[in-house]
Amino acid sequence: MDLTPSEAQQMLRHSAQRFIAERCEPTARRHAMQDPMGFKRENWRKFADLGWLGLPFPEEVGGFGGGPVEVGILMEEFGRGLATEPYLSTVLLAGALVAECGTEEQQKGLLPAIINGERLLSFAHYESDARAGLSEVHTVAQRDSHGWTLYGRKIAVLDAVAADVHLVSARLPGAQGAGLALFLVPKDAAGVTLRDAPRLGGGRVAELTFDHARLVPDARLGTGADVLPTVQSIVDRAIVALSAEAAGMMRSMFDATLDYTKVRKQFGRPLAANQVIRHRLADMYVECEEARAMAARAALLVAADIDSTQRSLAASGAKVKIGRCARNVAEQAVQLHGAMGVTDELDLGLYFKRLLVFEALFGSVDHHLQRHAELFGNSRAE
Amino acid sequence: MDLTPSEAQQMLRHSAQRFIAERCEPTARRHAMQDPMGFKRENWRKFADLGWLGLPFPEEVGGFGGGPVEVGILMEEFGRGLATEPYLSTVLLAGALVAECGTEEQQKGLLPAIINGERLLSFAHYESDARAGLSEVHTVAQRDSHGWTLYGRKIAVLDAVAADVHLVSARLPGAQGAGLALFLVPKDAAGVTLRDAPRLGGGRVAELTFDHARLVPDARLGTGADVLPTVQSIVDRAIVALSAEAAGMMRSMFDATLDYTKVRKQFGRPLAANQVIRHRLADMYVECEEARAMAARAALLVAADIDSTQRSLAASGAKVKIGRCARNVAEQAVQLHGAMGVTDELDLGLYFKRLLVFEALFGSVDHHLQRHAELFGNSRAE
Amino acid sequence: MSLSFTAEELRFRDEVRAFIAARLSPELRRASSLNVSFFSDPDIVAPWQRALHERGWVAPGWPREHGGPGWTATQRWIFESECAAAGTPQLSPMGIKMIGPVLMRFGTSEQKKFYLPRILSGEDRWCQGYSEPGSGSDLASLNTRAVRQGDHYVVNGTKIWTTHAHFANRMFALVRTSDEPRQQDGISFLLIDMASPGITIRPIMMISGDHDVNQVFFDEVEVPVTNLVGEEGRGWTCGKYLLEFERGGGVNSPKLRYALEKVRGLANSGLSYKAIMLQEIATKLSEIELDVQTLEFLELQVLSALQRGENPGPVSSVLKLRASEIHQAISRVGVEMVGQNALVEETRRPLHALKDRPLIPEEVLSVVPRHLNGRANTIFGGSSEIQRDIIAKQVLGL
Amino acid sequence: MSLSFTAEELRFRDEVRAFIAARLSPELRRASSLNVSFFSDPDIVAPWQRALHERGWVAPGWPREHGGPGWTATQRWIFESECAAAGTPQLSPMGIKMIGPVLMRFGTSEQKKFYLPRILSGEDRWCQGYSEPGSGSDLASLNTRAVRQGDHYVVNGTKIWTTHAHFANRMFALVRTSDEPRQQDGISFLLIDMASPGITIRPIMMISGDHDVNQVFFDEVEVPVTNLVGEEGRGWTCGKYLLEFERGGGVNSPKLRYALEKVRGLANSGLSYKAIMLQEIATKLSEIELDVQTLEFLELQVLSALQRGENPGPVSSVLKLRASEIHQAISRVGVEMVGQNALVEETRRPLHALKDRPLIPEEVLSVVPRHLNGRANTIFGGSSEIQRDIIAKQVLGL
């Protein structure tokens, strides 16, 4: 039992901090957020240069064999600086699914291009009548002699506008029954419509419609097994990564609030001279520490060799605990900034909105609490 | 729409306040709580003299025709002074059930004796495997040519040790199926065992066991209809009355805390000079006002001619809202008293415990929240 | 004591309902429902105010002599409740509930005669010049100066958080006319024509993308001395009176109930994946419902006291504190219910005038902006911290 | 970074488990489980302390030279976790975790040689004389006086909230030996024999009915000068050192986990009508579980820093704050689950020695008293308000 970060982990954190300081300072960030893609392509190339795009992939495919702990370090710093690059969608979701489910050929075709920053992927899974359960997919893929045809609509697709390829989940009617499959859909495939909008607090989000979308025969990812368990596993890992990012955002909001209340004067003295505000800052600090601890714990657990129940418990647990802490820190940060806090003149609002995104992504806090209670009860009953 | 109390209502409040000031000051109250019956009989006679024991009964049987608003006024003052008399069990539960379900003969036999203070009744309903649903009764009453025989066990019977007659709910096997009936069981009936204990924060509580308990033929209350709806109605009204009592207890705890924090000095100044404590007192004050408002609202609604759904919504709503407020006021009152707050040297702990009783009686706050959500959803859907 | 309305009151309620049914068009109702700011946009307000003005119902709280309907407190309650329940546009309080009552109390007869009718007709649109960049909660420290020169004051300085300054043609403002040992003593209350030379307005965008508030700069702005309300140096008295009105005059529970009903509607629809089926959503809605019921009863108690001619006392801070918290609870559960549809950021305004189909359904579109704007509920108009200070001091005597 | 134990650490864990399995009798386990106070009763502690003493495991944190086992931080963690999970009696911290470390740091070699072994053997039972009726959170204002007369101090005054004074044969106390401009400067640290003439003990009953704390009066009590720890007038330094130990030295999460497991057991049983079936109970238990996990990880981070030889900094206030709140959340959900069985008040003690069958099952009997006593968690040992003051000042630099 040793919670000391390794030297490599410390170096990774330092390089992320340097990147954020140089390329995510407020002006650059606002500028990046105005980009039609939601981020600056030169930053993405920098990600590639720094080796971050290959971080979680195995060395055999050109990756660096990092795990959830290393990803968490990056994500925490991204959160501190509110980076808007599509690391989650391209690397942690679609890329990870290709690495887990793709044939050797598909991996060789895509992963190096992801790792060197040439290609971007999106993961299109959620549909408008699905709450949070990952199995609620109605998009259908039909096989014929020419390949596949896709019908359906996906919502909340992160950063799809910048993606070269969409990784789309669909059901296969007929023999294979309830199984779920993934398809690689080129952005310019016929029958694919993309409607794009800004995402709350930075980045882009899209709706993808597949109306008789024609795909080549090897568009299907992998060799035919039901991908639902893998999707579940990758989403759990994504939640753990997002938890670290949320902890980073919380800390930035807290730091800004601490600074502001020290400087801002009312009734002739700094806000922080008020005991009510001091205590609230103390509670916010505790919640930031709790969030960071819980994110680190979840990453360490997922990095260890645990079963799928334990993995889901770690992910849902992090989502719940950090979700609660994040909400309070975000709301109090705005409150303690007073009227300034609700304006777009500070960056605080961007963080506030990005923490709403954290809450909304991959199921609400309540959903994960319920999931935790069920899994925890079950795992105890065994 | 007019929320001004009538003159009669104001007089009732004043007389209750006078009683509390004279007979429920701390020493007298501690003394009453030590009584094996949990209260002083002479106070009960005073209740009769003041007309309180007849308050909610119709004038035809010698009552004063008061309603939930008047009962609420009494209960609020009882709460302020933490009176331990068995008003709830004898008058509001058992007495009300006799008035609602009893035959004319039974009413004439019992109500005048209740009203003049001669006879005390308990209401024995809950069983050890029932959570909060009032229909979960397993006690059985069997009819034969000599009368009735009762088998079963009742828990949480309030003030049973002082009762002359227990009003006991039971199922009738055979023809009447699911119906519920009530039985008048004299305290000395054969086959009845009473085990008595102190109740948290004052009063007594008992377990009653009926092992082949023999009852006379007219021991059954009323004429044969299923009493469950009436029990439900009376328990809802009891919850509304208890809500007023809880609001009174909260106010006393708040007042004590306000006084204490003004006087008690730490670091050379009164506790109340601390902004954190001032704000907490402000919140407690708001919660006391909210509780009082919600208790008054529920009483007014139940007094009006509303349907059973609306009545249950009012009762469950009061239980939830006041339950939440009461918990916070009680916990903060103890907290702000510091170490003194957790000792038996103040009366604060008695109030704290009685508010736990409020929470526990007739279903938890969570139970009533769930009930409210169900009824509210249903009533909206119509 | 009774919660029931009298037959007369019920007749009045029917009258109000009939009026709303006749005059609130579906377009207006939709536009009002899609409004996400504190106050409705002027283009929504104007037609509704015209309809009310024809009927003499613009200012429910005003006495008859000034063009009010002369209603009882209960009638006002009924009117507010019915308007809220129907989702009518919300008239700006700055004329009707703020400067109007101040002028009735402190204004000259010329001021009353000139300004009050223009408030009712909608010809004048007012904004409030109180806060300054260095003076938020600590209002008395304000620095905008008015120096008398002949029959004019010359105003220099800046005001901030000025709601709808960009729509207003008039501002009532607190300005410093002298330096006194007690800061409050050097403050005067001025009425300023927003068309005066030397005024510039800088928009301040909200985190939702809305433009509600502004910073207003005064550079040698001339204001006629006749625009002084009350005595010079006694403006704090008018200002405080108005703040009391701002905090306590409002009846909030009907609006909260309307907001809650909207969220409940969402919970019962497919747009939230029928979130009402989830126990945690159903119980959260019940908890908020109970909070609204409680606030409603507290407000009715105030109304009952007013009706008896009593002073309800310093309860307005309690009502403001709870109303703002409940408002936030409602908007928060809304966001929770719409799931990943919350990801879409729509900053174009007004929402009812959007030409293209947005990425998410119209009923969901306003949920996030409303939550974002709602953060200001516990900040503007006296923050929750200030309200608790006031309760501790004025109610508890600490 | 890794959360896993090494093979060596796992071997140690098995050793501890084997020891507990061998030495913790079912009677002792039951008695310990029915204990509702902060500290276990001496009659439960004594046999367990004897067993530990035979093995040299009484004081996990003490260095070998003073009779400790010389464990690493991880070993101490494992030991505490295993003891908590098994529900062993809890040894009083007042000797082992409080006065022991103070003597090691500030005591003379005679004091160490005399007192430390008697702490380990259980021959001495200590109590703490800090708080006074007028000096709770504001400890430095204390008034109990010690006046030097020859080779004795003569002590007059009173101490309050003295846990287990009625079981203790010794007290360590802060007393005022002089009046200085800075209150802290006139305070000295004395060891007092509780058998000394002039000491009287007044029990203070808790709202649960427990007798844990007392008021202790000193009337011309003579204390040998050799019982002074550190220098005269520098007692505040010893006192503060001890307070840091009291707050930070503790590892709380294993005990919280034990308490939570007990409540979860209740939730899974008919004694709570199988409350785990209710969504709100199941989710509450999950929320508390997550709070415990978080605290556990924060404690492990401290342990990891200690193991690296680093100072974990002023994190102890964070841990105390959260541990006390979690403790209360656990006991509260317990009360919620037992329903109307919470009505029965049982004030006889100790619960494990009750002769007659109580009105409610044994597993339920301790639920309410534990909740009542638990209210003191956020008060004793530095209230939550004081902890937040400390965090604001020492951690945030405010």
Side-chain angles (χ1 to χ4, degrees), chain A residues 124-165:
Chain A
H125 180 73
Y126 281 97
E127 303 184 6
S128 69
D129 49 358
R131 172 160 285 280
L134 289 166
S135 63
E136 296 167 60
V137 169
H138 302 287
T139 295
V140 166
Q142 274 173 341
R143 179 79 211 239
D144 61 31
S145 53
H146 306 293
W148 299 88
T149 314
L150 222 55
Y151 303 90
R153 194 160 68 91
K154 299 289 184 177
I155 65 159
V157 189
L158 304 176
D159 306 306
V161 67
D164 304 293
V165 178

Side-chain angles (χ1 to χ4, degrees), chain B residues 131 195 280 327 335 353, chain D residues 207 272 336 357 378 385:
Chain B
R131 172 160 284 282
R195 299 178 64 222
R280 222 173 286 168
R327 177 183 285 183
Q335 180 74 18
K353 289 188 269 189
Chain D
I207 55 177
S272 71
E336 287 175 14
R357 181 167 68 86
T378 48
E385 289 76 17

Side-chain angles (χ1 to χ4, degrees), chain B residues 308-329:
Chain B
S308 68
T309 303
Q310 294 302 319
R311 186 203 65 224
S312 297
L313 278 168
S316 287
K319 174 93 186 201
V320 171
K321 177 70 192 173
I322 299 172
R324 295 257 187 267
C325 292
R327 177 183 285 183
N328 194 52
V329 167

Side-chain angles (χ1 to χ4, degrees), chain B residues 182-204:
Chain B
L182 291 167
F183 292 88
L184 294 160
V185 181
K187 66 173 169 181
D188 47 8
V192 177
T193 316
L194 177 142
R195 299 178 64 222
D196 169 62
R199 196 166 78 219
L200 206 59
R204 311 291 300 183

Side-chain angles (χ1 to χ4, degrees), chain A residues 9 12 55-57 64-73 92 237 299 302-303:
Chain A
Q9 287 165 345
L12 181 65
L55 181 66
F57 297 115
F64 297 93
V69 175
E70 287 73 25
V71 167
I73 289 170
L92 301 182
R237 284 160 178 266
V302 173

